[in-house]
Amino acid sequence: NGIGRGCRILLITVATTKLLIPTATALSVLLLQQPASSLSSLRKSYTSTSRTRMCQQQDNMPVMAQDTSSMRNMKILVCSENVPPQVNGIARRVGHYVEGLSNMGCEVDLLSPDSKGVWSHANPWNFTAAMMCIFPGYLLQLMNETYDVVHVVMPMNFSGIWLLIGYKLLRLFTRTQKPALVISWHCNLFDYAEHHFPKVLGRFLKWAFFDIFMSVLPEISDRILTPTRATETVLTKKWNEHGSGRTGVCYTGLDKCNFTPENRHTEAGKAWQARKDRYLRETGTKHLLLCVGRLSPEKGVDELITCMSMLKDCALWLVGDGPDRPKYEALAQELKIPVQFLGYQKGENLHSVYCMADVFVCPSTTETFGQTVNEAIASEVRVALPTVNVFTEAFGEHIPADAFWEPMNRQSMVQAIELQLKRLEEDSDIGRPDANKLRSWEDACAELKKDYEVAEHVARTQQNELRLRKRTMFILPVWIMCTIVAANYVYLLSLIRTALGGMSLRYFIKTTFFES
């Protein structure tokens, strides 16, 4: 029958992943023999394992949060390589989504590198994160579950891609519309390529990635969501070429209990205040600027450090870590400017450090939203940002137009920061942050559930538009093999960086062979 044919084809497809994991076949048999126990690890409360504190009541909750689209509870599978307690914005977002949807009555299963049916390894680009490869047997096991929605968090989630392919083939062979297949995309890879590769190579990789490698994604999913409409438009427009209503926004919320100006009065806040006073006194400066984020090329931190020499009476705190930290430390020392590297912070230390800033600066031009900006505004700290579409869309209503600077224009950056410092000294209402205008995670999860329902509608009503083209059916086996080769390549990079102690290969070669 249709199910039997679909499962046989799918088994042949996913079994090829044994190229990546030699023991996958044996492990798959074991997993298939224990369907109940292995799935139980997915179904656990995020609240009880990862959260220590949550808001019990929001006094000024917007009406939007109360306007839930339906009372129907969904069964949802979320597949993400970035999950708490990893230290990155995607992980925190996924954690809040799982928690929020569960609190709304949905049954949410989370497939992550911590799940039993996967093989995980370090992320070669971010050692605070992990990546995974799902075993073939476990993939088939999940497909025996009846989900309303499968949500794959991308990019670079090969297990998620294999899940989408499996469910799409199953839907075609069984002539059903469930589950709705949703992708959320949380990275501007198009912009990243410009920062990490030479121009000619970058253009080739953009063509190979977006026009070739990712061209199949719109045909194996129903809807794509991005943190803002300005995120990765080169990619998202491909979904609308295959039907209408297939793009949306996965809104970003804010934990208003954790990020508040009252944090300056906590024990952590008092400790930070003492450290700030001491640092300003030692450096002979008057104002403290704060930047929170990963220390890597695409984040633009080098531009901010360079501009510090043009800012009078200012010191800088950098919260975060990354592969370019040694480079930035050397730059700050060379320019003889007051910059202190605080590394990763979490919990109350992170919540309260925002309150120390006179102005929060985010120099990145590659963000998909800018959650750290959200957290700074919630802490009632004035902010300065580059004028990029993502930031103007997300924060244009929250901060004045002159708080934005022209990207890659250092003089413009300096003027924007100095203007916010002047307003701070004058206690001006212009540019004063208002946390009440920010969306809570309850709001964001309610909107996400609505997007799931739109995806279900697309799956039901656009079957002809969503049917795999003959060309796609022909190239699909080759495409799957390409994903397996890519997964092998990523694993090789992970091994190399692990052997180098987390240092990038490029930085290792540069410092070892080209610098004395």
Side-chain angles (χ1 to χ4, degrees), residues 63-77:
V63 176
M64 178 173 49
Q66 304 169 5
D67 182 24
T68 53
S69 56
S70 75
M71 299 302 292
R72 180 173 69 88
N73 295 331
M74 294 179 171
K75 186 175 180 180
I76 303 163
L77 173 62

Side-chain angles (χ1 to χ4, degrees), residues 293-492:
R294 179 168 161 78
L295 303 183
S296 54
E298 74 280 357
K299 297 297 184 178
V301 177
D302 55 339
E303 282 293 303
L304 176 58
I305 293 176
T306 302
C307 282
M308 288 296 298
S309 60
M310 304 167 62
L311 287 163
K312 185 179 179 181
D313 294 331
C314 288
L316 174 65
W317 276 2
L318 289 175
V319 174
D321 215 326
D324 277 13
R325 176 170 176 169
K327 171 184 173 182
Y328 298 150
E329 289 176 332
L331 177 61
Q333 187 174 9
E334 177 187 343
L335 297 177
K336 297 180 180 180
I337 55 176
V339 180
Q340 196 165 40
F341 294 80
L342 304 178
Y344 284 117
Q345 302 292 327
K346 60 182 179 179
E348 291 189 358
N349 285 338
L350 176 63
H351 304 156
S352 55
V353 73
Y354 282 97
C355 300
M356 301 301 105
D358 295 315
V359 173
F360 178 86
V361 184
C362 180
S364 173
T365 59
T366 62
E367 298 300 299
T368 58
F369 177 78
Q371 179 66 341
T372 57
V373 180
N374 224 21
E375 293 164 355
I377 293 175
S379 303
E380 295 187 2
V381 175
R382 298 171 190 266
V383 302
L385 305 170
T387 307
V388 292
N389 291 336
V390 166
F391 282 156
T392 54
E393 177 186 336
F395 303 109
E397 296 181 359
H398 303 296
I399 63 177
D402 52 20
F404 292 93
W405 74 76
E406 181 184 345
M408 306 308 296
N409 185 328
R410 293 173 183 172
Q411 188 60 45
S412 178
M413 178 193 291
V414 169
Q415 290 175 353
I417 294 172
E418 287 179 338
L419 182 56
Q420 306 319 306
L421 289 172
K422 180 181 178 182
R423 287 172 176 162
L424 174 69
E425 291 179 339
E426 297 172 349
D427 196 24
S428 172
D429 289 334
I430 301 176
R432 190 190 304 276
D434 184 359
N436 291 325
K437 295 180 180 179
L438 300 176
R439 183 180 275 104
S440 71
W441 280 114
E442 289 85 355
D443 303 331
C445 290
E447 292 294 329
L448 181 61
K449 188 179 179 185
K450 291 180 183 179
D451 268 302
Y452 287 163
E453 293 172 345
V454 173
E456 289 184 309
H457 177 74
V458 170
R460 287 194 305 268
T461 61
Q462 297 189 29
Q463 284 301 296
N464 290 333
E465 293 87 344
L466 299 179
R467 186 177 302 163
L468 291 177
R469 293 176 293 179
K470 292 182 179 179
R471 178 185 67 86
T472 303
M473 291 293 289
F474 178 76
I475 69 171
L476 192 59
V478 177
W479 191 80
I480 294 172
M481 290 302 300
C482 287
T483 64
I484 296 172
V485 171
N488 274 279
Y489 173 72
V490 170
Y491 177 56
L492 178 62

